[in-house]
Amino acid sequence: MLFLWFGILHPFQILAQKERNLLSRFSTDEIARSLLPREQWKPFPKTGAEWQKILPDSVRNSIILDAEKYLQAPFESIPASLMLEYQRTGIRIHYENVSLKKRAQVFTLLLAEVMDNKGRFMDAITDGIWSICEESFWGVPAHLYQQKAGLGLVDMEDPSVDLFVSDTGTLLALADYFLGPQLDRISPLIRKRIYNEVNTRMFTPFEKDSGRYWYLQKGRKEAPVNNWNPWVISNWMASVLLLEKDETRRAKELRHALTLLDHYLNWLGDDGAIDEGPSYWNGAIGRLFDALVVLESASAGRLTIYQEPLIQNAGTYLYKMHIAGNYFINVADASPVVNTDGVQLYRIGKTVQDTIMRDFGTWTFHNSLEKKALSNGSTRLSVLWNLLAFQECVSRKGRPPMLSDVWLPGIQQMAGRTPGGLFVASHGGHNAESHNHNDVGDFIVYANGQPVIIDVGFGTYTAKTFSRERYSLWYNSSAYHNLPVINGFQQAAGGQYEARNVTYNKTTGRSSLQMDLAAAYPAEAGVQKWQRTVALEKTTQTVSITDEYVLQQPVRELTQTFMTVCPVDLSQPGKIRFDIPGSKPVSLDYDASAWAVNKEPMPGDAPDEKRLVENWGRRPIWRILLVGKTAKKTGKFTYRIKQ
């Protein structure tokens, strides 16, 4: 048997700080010399004639039609009671619906006016800009914990910057960039207001005290750097370069931003993988590329780091997590279904010179239900760069990646698929990852692109989601992942609860991930060793899960969970049959002498469960529970899955 690859990881290697400092190596003087002056930086066309050369009539007309629908829609104000709703009830979606809709409305009107160039959208744009400027807070109430006064109403004397404050800053900076003279003809006070508001709410807080923000600090295991860092910094960079007239300040604050963005890059493993899962790829790596494109564009290509292996790996992480169709490996607060932006993927693949990523982007675009230039969920910067690359992307054919094997050591994530269409993924890690679920050692199985054994995913965010009650939500706890509950104990939350002695093996026809899960459970569980091996046997088209354990005392109670959305037949002892729509059933064999089996439907009616139901196309979610019959101190179980 040919031995191809072997690796052992120790816990400290998982997303540990590594002082690469790829961006802060650019000095303030070098940045000042390289930056185009504000009046010379023209990242996007400003006239309808220019856009007509770039975009098909169908795309421009679609944007203008959407804007025409918005012309009669008023801009809603945000009353104090709506801001207080989060503190009172934990519900955040009503406030966010009003706030985010207003910004989407302004952006669509803005693009339409630039492409139509007839002035008919200007009053609506002015109303939208003024309405946004009149808001007390540009972020969302759930993030007001950053102000000294805490949750509730906003303290206007203590401006704090969250994700959506930064998004709004970019939106207003783009309005100034695209329509400055037109706004001046209406009133020169509009642009003055834009600058003063963005300066007060974002530039000055960062300039004076960026250290107060957790997401701009260096990462630690218990306080990881996550998508907030590149999300906010990419907007900060774009806004300051588009709006700030003081060239010295532009260079100084860009250097400041790049230094803090390095905290995120230094946190990533060399493989560029993120522990938040592919749902957050756009909010994390997509935003990172927004920042890097801003840097490249504003310096006329003189300041770039695309050639760095870390950047190339970060770009391609997404397709390494792809299963089939729009299904992706979901860990932590990630959805199993990710509606990716094909043009964005194409651009990034081209930038990092990865043909698989480029082809994946084109394939994604052509296979999406809505082949729209304005992709839902994309950043405004990304939308604009997408429009510039739109025709090039859609004129090509692509293909899905369908990788045979994946190993991402930075997050201890493996995946593999057989030629017959059986797919497995598993991971180690620890229980203090960003947007963590207690899920060390979890695994999923798909067959012919359809879910069989699943990670349920995440629910609708409420106050409870990010509180001390987070793991009382069933879908965040290990009891509802494909893991054992040992002596009545689930896995615990915290960086010390981790996989140890993690080993990935790949040989011809077989790949496996082996890890000891004992440390993921509290000491009271009495686990000395729980070695789990997740293996894919390609020659026999089989997935096997083997658990070998040693306890301090004979086990008092033991269960093993399998989550699924498949109709399940438990009638044959020792065999669980999963029915797959339009495909052969999948069977899971277990030792009937060691386990009793039952199943239970999972709830889906609570406000926080709405997203779970939508994630799986409103299919019922089932928990299959094996209940141990033995009371041994040591043991070994194997589950074999095949189609």
Side-chain angles (χ1 to χ4, degrees), residues 3 289 303 341 374 389 471 611 628:
F3 188 81
F289 274 89
L303 302 175
D341 180 341
L374 301 188
Y471 298 104
R611 180 176 278 161

Side-chain angles (χ1 to χ4, degrees), residues 110-158:
L110 170 65
L111 287 181
E113 179 58 41
V114 173
M115 294 176 184
D116 189 54
N117 201 28
K118 296 178 181 177
R120 59 193 177 118
F121 300 107
M122 286 304 302
D123 278 352
I125 292 168
T126 302
D127 288 344
I129 291 171
W130 209 254
S131 177
I132 289 171
C133 289
E134 290 290 299
E135 292 176 358
S136 298
F137 184 49
W138 286 348
V140 297
H143 299 159
L144 280 173
Y145 65 84
Q146 294 189 118
Q147 68 176 5
K148 297 180 181 68
L151 297 176
L153 294 175
V154 64
D155 182 353
M156 298 292 290
E157 296 181 0
D158 180 28

Side-chain angles (χ1 to χ4, degrees), residues 76-359:
E76 294 184 59
S77 62
I78 299 179
S81 58
L82 190 59
M83 181 169 282
L84 287 168
E85 183 182 29
Y86 177 77
Q87 185 185 31
R88 290 169 172 172
T89 69
I91 303 298
R92 54 190 282 175
I93 193 66
H94 300 136
Y95 180 100
E96 291 173 9
N97 283 342
V98 173
S99 176
L100 299 182
K101 178 187 174 184
K102 184 186 298 188
R103 285 143 179 81
Q105 189 173 342
V106 170
F107 186 58
T108 302
L109 290 165
L110 170 65
L111 287 181
E113 179 58 41
V114 173
M115 294 176 184
D116 189 54
N117 201 28
K118 296 178 181 177
R120 59 193 177 118
F121 300 107
M122 286 304 302
D123 278 352
I125 292 168
T126 302
D127 288 344
I129 291 171
W130 209 254
S131 177
I132 289 171
C133 289
E134 290 290 299
E135 292 176 358
S136 298
F137 184 49
W138 286 348
V140 297
H143 299 159
L144 280 173
Y145 65 84
Q146 294 189 118
Q147 68 176 5
K148 297 180 181 68
L151 297 176
L153 294 175
V154 64
D155 182 353
M156 298 292 290
E157 296 181 0
D158 180 28
S160 61
V161 186
D162 78 339
L163 306 174
F164 304 106
V165 170
S166 72
D167 277 346
T168 304
T170 294
L171 173 63
L172 296 184
L174 288 169
D176 182 278
Y177 169 81
F178 279 118
L179 299 173
Q182 295 95 314
L183 293 171
D184 281 342
R185 284 195 288 272
I186 294 172
S187 171
L189 297 179
I190 299 173
R191 296 177 79 188
K192 181 179 180 181
R193 179 83 184 269
I194 287 174
Y195 177 82
N196 286 340
E197 295 289 353
V198 177
N199 185 52
T200 299
R201 299 178 193 238
M202 184 160 62
F203 298 168
T204 300
F206 281 159
E207 193 171 37
K208 288 186 175 180
D209 188 15
S210 61
R212 71 179 280 191
Y213 298 101
W214 61 267
Y215 58 86
L216 297 180
Q217 298 170 10
K218 291 185 177 182
R220 307 184 312 279
K221 193 172 186 179
E222 297 291 347
V225 185
N226 70 1
N227 69 90
W228 278 55
N229 180 286
W231 184 317
V232 172
I233 289 177
S234 60
N235 282 311
W236 176 16
M237 290 170 59
S239 301
V240 77
L241 292 177
L242 287 170
L243 279 180
E244 182 55 59
K245 295 179 181 179
D246 183 333
E247 295 295 338
T248 300
R249 191 186 190 200
R250 286 176 86 230
K252 179 183 175 183
E253 286 310 295
L254 179 58
R255 175 58 161 65
H256 187 187
L258 294 179
T259 300
L260 298 175
L261 186 55
D262 262 341
H263 293 338
Y264 182 74
L265 293 178
N266 291 344
W267 181 253
L268 295 177
D270 289 338
D271 55 18
I274 59 174
D275 59 1
E276 300 173 272
S279 292
Y280 278 92
W281 181 89
N282 187 44
I285 305 303
R287 301 279 183 158
L288 168 64
F289 274 89
D290 280 353
L292 298 182
V293 177
V294 166
L295 183 64
E296 175 195 31
S297 174
S299 68
R302 290 183 282 266
L303 302 175
T304 66
I305 59 169
Y306 297 134
Q307 74 283 359
E308 296 290 342
L310 173 66
I311 303 305
Q312 297 177 359
N313 289 337
T316 62
Y317 159 80
L318 187 64
Y319 73 68
K320 295 169 185 172
M321 299 288 279
H322 180 248
I323 301 171
N326 59 357
Y327 284 121
F328 287 77
I329 300 168
N330 60 309
V331 297
D333 276 350
S335 167
V337 174
V338 181
N339 295 312
T340 52
D341 180 341
V343 183
Q344 178 193 36
L345 302 187
Y346 172 82
R347 286 193 298 106
I348 292 175
K350 184 179 177 183
T351 297
V352 299
Q353 299 181 343
D354 189 289
T355 56
I356 298 176
M357 181 74 161
R358 186 194 64 193
D359 290 348

Side-chain angles (χ1 to χ4, degrees), residues 366-441:
H366 287 297
N367 284 275
S368 64
L369 294 177
E370 293 186 356
K371 299 178 177 61
K372 296 180 69 174
L374 301 188
S375 176
N376 291 331
S378 292
T379 70
R380 295 179 181 102
L381 292 171
S382 192
V383 164
L384 290 165
W385 279 305
N386 283 358
L387 292 175
L388 300 182
F390 183 80
Q391 292 211 73
E392 182 180 332
C393 173
V394 302
S395 65
R396 296 172 177 264
K397 294 182 179 180
R399 68 179 76 178
M402 304 299 286
L403 302 182
S404 296
D405 294 284
V406 169
W407 172 236
L408 299 169
I411 56 172
Q412 296 181 344
Q413 174 76 57
M414 69 84 72
R417 73 179 77 234
T418 69
L422 199 61
F423 179 94
V424 66
S426 184
H427 64 91
H430 58 81
N431 283 331
E433 294 165 345
S434 182
H435 292 92
N436 180 69
H437 289 193
N438 289 339
D439 61 358
V440 173

